[in-house]
Amino acid sequence: EKTSGRAFAAILAISKPVIAVIHGFCIGGGMAIALTADLRIAADDARLAIPAARLGLGYHASGVETLVRLVGPSIAKEIFFSARRFRAEEALARGLVNEVVPKASLETRVRELANGIAANAPLTLRSMKLVARELDAPESKRDVAAMRASIAACFESEDYREGVRAFLEKRNPK
């Protein structure tokens, strides 16, 4: 449990966007890893489940908390209580995944998404990730100074100046 907790924390600490690519079975630990990603793209053949109730496992509170924050308490309870496998479209409808694509185009779609993200300003991406993580924490534990500093760094960057120039010149930023 300590090892997996450290692994999940390491993924959550990555300052760049993390995309989970899901196809086939994504069950238990695989689902826990996918939940730590910022975005989850699933193939239409994906089946997602957390079978802890069927197996008699106690599920770590941080994993339950992650799921509850993602899909809300009622859907999280449905996922845990039923221990059933959800088809990709069901997972999409419940907010477990961001997008479902045909399996044959999964890799192409994820590369397209990743390239689009990578073309954006890295300081803004890093700031968004940090601010979202801090806003997910209880208000009394938020690092407001870190959020302000990350936002200020964006406005002080050459990326921001180039973005404004590109907007005014009606072109894509470089």
Side-chain angles (χ1 to χ4, degrees), residues 114-163:
N115 287 334
I117 290 169
N120 290 323
L123 289 178
T124 301
L125 298 175
R126 187 176 306 131
S127 177
M128 174 54 204
K129 192 158 174 174
L130 182 144
V131 170
R133 183 175 53 240
E134 291 301 321
L135 291 176
D136 207 22
E139 192 170 348
S140 64
K141 296 189 182 213
R142 292 179 186 160
D143 189 341
V144 175
M147 289 191 288
R148 286 185 179 141
S150 76
I151 294 165
C154 293
F155 284 110
E156 295 165 3
S157 72
E158 180 55 36
D159 283 345
Y160 175 69
R161 288 185 285 283
E162 166 59 13

Side-chain angles (χ1 to χ4, degrees), residues 44 46 58 69 73-74 101 109 117 165 167:
D44 54 7
R69 284 186 176 151
S74 182
V101 299
R109 174 61 188 127
I117 290 169
R165 280 191 304 272
F167 177 78

Side-chain angles (χ1 to χ4, degrees), residues 71-136:
V71 300
S74 182
I75 299 297
K77 289 175 188 175
E78 177 188 13
I79 291 166
F80 276 105
F81 292 171
S82 71
R84 75 179 184 87
R85 293 178 183 162
F86 290 84
R87 293 184 323 275
E89 290 298 334
E90 292 176 296
L92 179 64
R94 286 169 174 77
L96 279 172
V97 299
N98 298 83
E99 187 176 344
V100 175
V101 299
K103 184 169 181 156
S105 61
L106 180 63
E107 185 176 340
T108 300
R109 174 61 188 127
V110 172
R111 284 187 188 281
E112 174 185 274
L113 176 62
N115 287 334
I117 290 169
N120 290 323
L123 289 178
T124 301
L125 298 175
R126 187 176 306 131
S127 177
M128 174 54 204
K129 192 158 174 174
L130 182 144
V131 170
R133 183 175 53 240
E134 291 301 321
L135 291 176
D136 207 22

Side-chain angles (χ1 to χ4, degrees), residues 8 11-12 18-22 26-41 48 66 70 96-98:
F8 299 144
I11 295 169
L12 289 168
V18 175
I19 304 171
V21 181
I22 303 167
C26 182
I27 297 176
M31 180 75 165
I33 291 170
L35 291 174
T36 64
D38 298 301
L39 304 172
R40 284 158 300 287
I41 310 301
L48 298 88
T66 299
L70 182 66
L96 279 172
V97 299
N98 298 83

